[in-house]
Amino acid sequence: MAHADKARQGIALFGAQGQLGRALAQALAGLGPVHTLSHADCDIGDETAVHAAVRRLRPGVIVNAAAYTAVDKAEAERDTALRINAYGPGYLADAALSVGAWLVHYSTGYVFDGTAGRPYREDDLTAPLNVYGESKRLGEEAVLARPLTAFVLRTAWLYDREGRNFLTTVRRLAANGPLRIVCDQYGSPTPVTVLAQTTRAILAHPRAADCAGLYHAACDGATSWHGFAEAIVRSLGLAVAVLPITTADYPTAAHRPVYSVLDGARLKEHLGIALPSWDRALAGLFVEAP
């Protein structure tokens, strides 16, 4: 069946009330009917509920934007993180197989240990440093182990203009004076709108069915949290100092990789899709703002 026909059968979007889910609901709307399911509608960690929802909707494509993303809390809530991030994707993959649907699932650069010193490629060995990263790696493996048409998209440092994320935190804290931001962790900040449009481009591609698999889908280039905060402050037109601190100055429950930059060459090579640089994407977010 052609790629366009799969979307026209309907898209079941799990995790539709999250930041990424809301962006996906808008971006995918033109491809076919989008059935949005929040956590209240279906907990992806509940195998019975997942299969019941998929049998009812019988979509051509399942998109999983549901995830446990509290990186530090995951250290104390390992079972919950595993249920949602590791087992849930497996349930969705089995449900997709049962109705012949494609599956799109999202993962993270935190599956790596941060020691590469160059942008990570899809075939680099994973070695997560924290429970969150471990749970996401297991979710990847669960999806890719099933014999179905699946796209696993690793991304990084997701944010948006609204909700709870790094951009909105910087905006809120900037009202109270100078900011102290970690300067020795590097990644590629990626707006949820960019990832949502990338997902649309993948599903709309005429060769999508032949190019399923694991891809890195994060903005191009790299910066530190400190560099990202400085760029946000400039974009907001705020006159506030952004002071660099080290990871040691800001201890957290979860150990984070110092370098989680992702190489997007495979996505460009296979499907001709290239994400913008992180700074251009940030600027575009403010240009689009009402």
Side-chain angles (χ1 to χ4, degrees), residues 7 9 29 54 62-64 76 138 142 211-212 223 234 269-270 283 286:
Q9 280 183 333
V54 171
I62 295 172
V63 179
N64 179 32
L138 290 170
C211 297
T223 189
R234 286 195 303 271
E269 177 186 350
H270 288 196
F286 285 95

Side-chain angles (χ1 to χ4, degrees), residues 225-243:
W225 290 113
H226 176 265
F228 187 25
E230 285 190 316
I232 291 170
V233 166
R234 286 195 303 271
S235 297
L236 292 170
L238 300 175
V240 60
V242 183
L243 307 176

Side-chain angles (χ1 to χ4, degrees):
M1 179 176 289
H3 70 288
D5 293 331
K6 299 301 290 187
R8 281 196 287 266
Q9 280 183 333
I11 300 169
L13 173 58
F14 289 80
Q17 292 303 309
Q19 288 181 108
L20 177 57
R22 292 193 298 271
L24 284 164
Q26 292 185 352
L28 301 179
L31 296 181
V34 179
H35 307 286
T36 57
L37 297 103
S38 68
H39 178 78
D41 297 321
C42 183
D43 175 1
I44 69 163
D46 183 334
E47 184 175 13
T48 300
V50 166
H51 279 272
V54 171
R55 281 197 306 270
R56 174 173 58 84
L57 296 172
R58 300 196 69 81
V61 179
I62 295 172
V63 179
N64 179 32
Y68 181 104
T69 59
V71 177
D72 290 314
K73 285 180 65 177
E75 296 299 305
E77 298 181 357
R78 175 185 171 85
D79 289 346
T80 302
L82 289 175
R83 187 174 67 83
I84 298 172
N85 291 347
Y87 309 143
Y91 301 152
L92 286 169
D94 286 336
L97 274 172
S98 73
V99 297
W102 292 5
L103 175 62
V104 179
H105 174 65
Y106 302 93
S107 191
T108 172
Y110 279 17
V111 299
F112 298 112
D113 64 10
T115 61
R118 55 154 177 80
Y120 280 97
R121 297 185 290 263
E122 288 83 352
D123 55 359
D124 284 325
L125 292 177
T126 57
L129 301 178
N130 53 50
V131 169
Y132 168 72
E134 177 190 5
S135 70
K136 295 298 286 185
R137 178 177 67 176
L138 290 170
E140 291 181 2
E141 293 172 348
V143 171
L144 295 171
R146 268 71 169 183
L148 77 159
T149 301
F151 298 87
V152 175
L153 306 180
R154 287 186 186 138
T155 192
W157 293 20
L158 287 181
Y159 69 96
D160 194 15
R161 292 193 303 254
E162 307 298 334
R164 297 180 60 184
N165 57 75
F166 188 75
L167 186 153
T168 57
T169 298
V170 166
R171 184 172 61 197
R172 173 173 53 83
L173 294 179
N176 301 319
L179 302 171
R180 292 166 51 84
I181 307 293
V182 170
C183 67
D184 56 358
Q185 294 177 23
Y186 293 85
S188 304
T190 304
V192 291
T193 50
V194 169
L195 183 58
Q197 288 297 332
T198 300
T199 302
R200 177 192 173 93
I202 291 170
L203 291 176
H205 198 284
R207 293 192 296 105
D210 300 322
C211 297
L214 174 64
Y215 291 95
H216 287 172
C219 281
D220 192 35
T223 189
S224 66
W225 290 113
H226 176 265
F228 187 25
E230 285 190 316
I232 291 170
V233 166
R234 286 195 303 271
S235 297
L236 292 170
L238 300 175
V240 60
V242 183
L243 307 176
I245 62 173
T246 67
T247 298
D249 296 324
Y250 188 73
T252 56
H255 186 33
R256 287 163 168 78
V258 298
Y259 187 87
S260 54
V261 181
L262 302 177
D263 185 333
R266 176 180 287 182
L267 187 60
K268 184 175 182 179
E269 177 186 350
H270 288 196
L271 291 162
I273 298 171
L275 279 68
S277 64
W278 72 268
D279 50 347
R280 186 157 61 88
L282 175 63
L285 199 69
F286 285 95
V287 168
E288 295 166 6

